[in-house]
Amino acid sequence: MNYENLLITIENSIATIVINRPSKLNALNIATINDLHKAIKILGKNKEVQVIILTGSGEKAFVAGADISEFAHFTVEEGTQLAFQGHELLFNYIENLKTPVIAAINGFALGGGLELAMACHFRIASDNAKMGLPEVSLGVIPGYGGTQRLPQLVGKGRAMEMIMTAGMITADEAKQYGLVNHVVPQTELINFAISIAEKIIKNSPFAVGRAIKSINANYAEGKNGYEIEIKNFGRCFGTGDFTEGTKAFLEKRKPVFKGK
């Protein structure tokens, strides 16, 4: 499938999605959100894809924010619907995907761009990256999960400061805060992300997917994360991956998982 603003490659069970709107610093418009939903949905169902890496084109920006020109004249109802659809189509969808999604932040990740990165399962940043949620400087608040996911990652106090000041932090500060896991030179970013993806794909795809679901349950309102963990732990016992993993361990060899 061809996409207006995405470049997608698949190699060695790793899919790389590049958001490709360099003239707009890869800003998220409605078309790009729809394309990302379609692409991630297809890749998530592809049994040959075990990890997805999400990054931006060029050397300046991961995603520099939402495309403000699209919603500058929206009504209350239209603004509410914009946020609702974004959550459903992309941000919550990525967070709950059973295939791991790694954000490789190659530059500015602002507003909706940082919210997109935070929806991924974890984040790696290049040393030139800068991150922030500047929405209040435009008279609005983060609407794609920023007020919820940022406190989960960096703590309430830091999230309050970042959102209320509308300021940016550096990649090193983001690592110190726990917002990103690693900071590497920009030229090494994708290869570093691939090296982590390669570690993930050595493990059971079924178990990885259930681990994602169990971890997310800890942050979901009305769910008991411990109960979800117990159920998912039990489900693993009925899989071929569990049989292969335990057999390989006892036979002192590397397992060959099939995700079933």
Side-chain angles (χ1 to χ4, degrees), residues 9 48 71 95 100 108 122 138 143 147 155 166-167 208 218 231 237 239 243 247 254 259:
T9 57
E48 302 303 314
F71 59 79
E95 184 174 62
F108 289 109
F122 59 91
L138 301 172
T147 65
V208 167
N218 183 54
K231 289 178 182 178
F237 281 71
T239 67
T243 301
K247 185 178 180 182
K254 292 182 179 180

Side-chain angles (χ1 to χ4, degrees), residues 184-195:
V184 298
Q186 188 174 58
T187 55
E188 299 174 15
L189 179 65
I190 298 303
N191 284 339
F192 188 84
I194 289 171
S195 72

Side-chain angles (χ1 to χ4, degrees), residues 69-258:
S69 63
E70 284 193 333
F71 59 79
H73 303 292
F74 272 17
T75 64
V76 170
E77 291 76 16
E78 289 171 325
T80 302
Q81 187 62 19
L82 178 71
F84 177 79
Q85 288 181 337
H87 279 272
E88 291 296 305
L89 284 176
L90 187 57
F91 299 86
N92 291 351
Y93 192 85
I94 289 175
E95 184 174 62
N96 293 306
L97 197 72
K98 67 179 181 179
T99 303
V101 183
I102 303 170
I105 304 172
N106 58 304
F108 289 109
L110 304 175
L114 181 55
E115 289 174 303
L116 178 61
M118 290 192 293
C120 296
H121 297 114
F122 59 91
R123 289 143 295 285
I124 302 164
S126 58
D127 52 11
N128 67 309
K130 291 187 177 180
M131 288 155 253
L133 295 174
E135 284 87 347
V136 297
S137 69
L138 301 172
V140 71
I141 69 168
Y144 287 145
T147 65
Q148 306 303 300
R149 293 190 179 97
L150 187 62
Q152 291 172 6
L153 292 165
V154 307
K156 182 179 178 181
R158 282 198 168 117
M160 286 282 194
E161 181 179 352
M162 285 180 65
I163 291 171
M164 288 192 286
T165 62
M168 291 187 292
I169 61 173
T170 66
D172 286 335
E173 287 172 321
K175 183 181 177 184
Q176 178 188 342
Y177 290 1
L179 183 53
V180 302
N181 291 18
H182 306 277
V183 176
V184 298
Q186 188 174 58
T187 55
E188 299 174 15
L189 179 65
I190 298 303
N191 284 339
F192 188 84
I194 289 171
S195 72
I196 293 182
E198 288 173 341
K199 293 178 182 178
I200 293 172
I201 63 178
K202 292 178 181 178
N203 303 313
S204 159
F206 183 89
V208 167
R210 290 293 169 174
I212 290 170
K213 187 172 183 178
S214 299
I215 293 167
N216 283 343
N218 183 54
Y219 301 96
E221 185 177 354
K223 289 188 178 181
N224 184 314
Y226 291 102
E227 290 180 0
I228 300 295
E229 179 190 273
I230 290 167
K231 289 178 182 178
N232 284 321
F233 178 78
R235 289 190 179 107
C236 290
F237 281 71
T239 67
D241 277 3
F242 174 75
T243 301
E244 169 62 12
T246 51
K247 185 178 180 182
F249 177 82
L250 294 171
E251 294 175 356
K252 295 181 172 56
R253 61 173 175 82
K254 292 182 179 180
V256 180
F257 293 117
K258 296 182 179 179

